[in-house]
Amino acid sequence: MTLSGVLRFGRYAFPPNRLGYCGPPDHGALLEYVASGEPDRGLLELARRFEGAYPYLVLIAHANGIGDPFDDRVVAAYWLGNSLLDRVGPAQLSELLTERFKPVMAQSDFAWLGSKLDLGARPHHNFHVFDIYVRAGLMRDHRAEIALVPMDSCRISWATVASVCGDELVVERCPLVLADGKLALGSPQTKTVTWRAGGRSLFEQVQPGDDVSIHWDWACETLAAKDLDALRAQTSRYIALANTTI
């Protein structure tokens, strides 16, 4: 078990887990593990029960000859993006998507999803959000603004910290918007997100000027320049990919 990798996975998995959206029910244990920075087999077992993300990690690791799905490089590839994604072939991703989604999707919908593989889709979390988690076709519907809310919350985004206010951060972040019927990132807006609860936080220190990643209104970690660049690039890539079917 790669300690840094499984802890990093927990940072990104906790925000939706606490809302009951994915993973096992004991989100308190997940936060305790991450906040303490002392993982053991218990954290590994919790992480393996995230049925949405874990298969993607296994796929990325296998395609790159990495034995541990929670290797930090693999975890970073899925949530943020790095060169490991480029070594996952379309056939490998197709096999995974077929196993997971074909039984529960209409044939036409699955064919639509398969078309994204021909256009360069890779197993990045934001691909899952923009093209699987919320159907891109819904953007033609009058309820599109409602669909944008969970899509914008679920994607991994980035923000710059303006101020630290106890357990919350005031940040500047570009929201997901519809522009001329297409997905886009809007102008920066001030937003308040959580970074700590009950004295427990997903990372140790934060200060104004830091760039942080955001998932379901929680700050997950401070971002190094290379990770920020990768997340920006992958987000642009998968917004463009989603727009091909909007």
Side-chain angles (χ1 to χ4, degrees):
M1 179 174 64
T2 306
L3 300 186
S4 61
V6 75
L7 283 171
R8 193 177 213 180
F9 178 82
R11 292 187 187 105
Y12 287 90
F14 170 75
N17 184 235
R18 68 180 291 274
L19 297 172
Y21 292 158
C22 59
D26 193 0
H27 66 268
L30 182 59
L31 178 60
E32 183 66 26
Y33 273 122
V34 175
S36 69
E38 298 177 356
D40 59 21
R41 300 293 299 184
L43 175 57
L44 183 61
E45 291 306 314
L46 283 176
R48 284 174 172 163
R49 292 169 64 188
F50 280 81
E51 297 179 354
Y54 185 60
Y56 288 120
L57 300 185
V58 173
L59 174 61
I60 296 167
H62 177 73
N64 286 273
I66 297 172
D68 180 9
F70 293 104
D71 184 292
D72 189 66
R73 296 166 296 172
V74 174
V75 173
Y78 175 66
W79 295 116
L80 303 173
N82 60 34
S83 62
L84 268 60
L85 295 177
D86 296 330
R87 301 189 186 105
V88 181
Q92 294 170 299
L93 181 54
S94 177
E95 183 178 352
L96 174 62
L97 296 180
T98 297
E99 178 182 349
R100 293 183 64 189
F101 300 111
K102 190 173 184 178
V104 296
M105 292 176 65
Q107 184 175 352
S108 59
D109 288 341
F110 187 76
W112 159 83
L113 179 59
S115 71
K116 300 304 174 102
L117 302 181
D118 297 331
L119 296 173
R122 294 293 184 269
H124 187 274
H125 178 74
N126 284 354
F127 163 63
H128 183 86
V129 171
F130 294 142
D131 271 318
I132 299 175
Y133 173 70
V134 177
R135 296 290 183 265
L138 183 60
M139 294 299 104
R140 301 189 189 96
D141 191 272
H142 69 281
R143 296 169 297 173
E145 290 184 1
I146 298 174
L148 280 176
V149 174
M151 186 184 286
D152 194 27
S153 296
C154 189
R155 73 182 176 101
I156 307 303
S157 60
W158 62 91
T160 300
V161 177
S163 61
V164 181
C165 304
D167 293 344
E168 296 180 327
L169 305 177
V170 178
V171 301
E172 292 292 318
R173 174 184 177 273
C174 297
L176 191 68
V177 299
L178 276 178
D180 297 324
K182 299 291 186 178
L183 293 176
L185 293 181
S187 300
Q189 295 182 357
T190 300
K191 181 179 179 68
T192 300
V193 299
T194 302
W195 81 285
R196 187 173 60 190
R200 298 297 192 189
S201 59
L202 299 180
F203 56 105
E204 292 183 358
Q205 297 181 351
V206 64
Q207 60 187 2
D210 285 348
D211 293 309
V212 296
S213 51
I214 307 292
H215 197 198
W216 286 105
D217 291 336
W218 269 72
C220 300
E221 63 178 342
T222 54
L223 291 173
K226 65 179 181 61
D227 290 329
L228 177 59
D229 289 344
L231 180 57
R232 282 174 167 161
Q234 294 294 329
T235 300
S236 295
R237 177 178 185 173
Y238 291 114
I239 286 177
L241 192 63
N243 282 335
T244 64
T245 49
I246 293 178

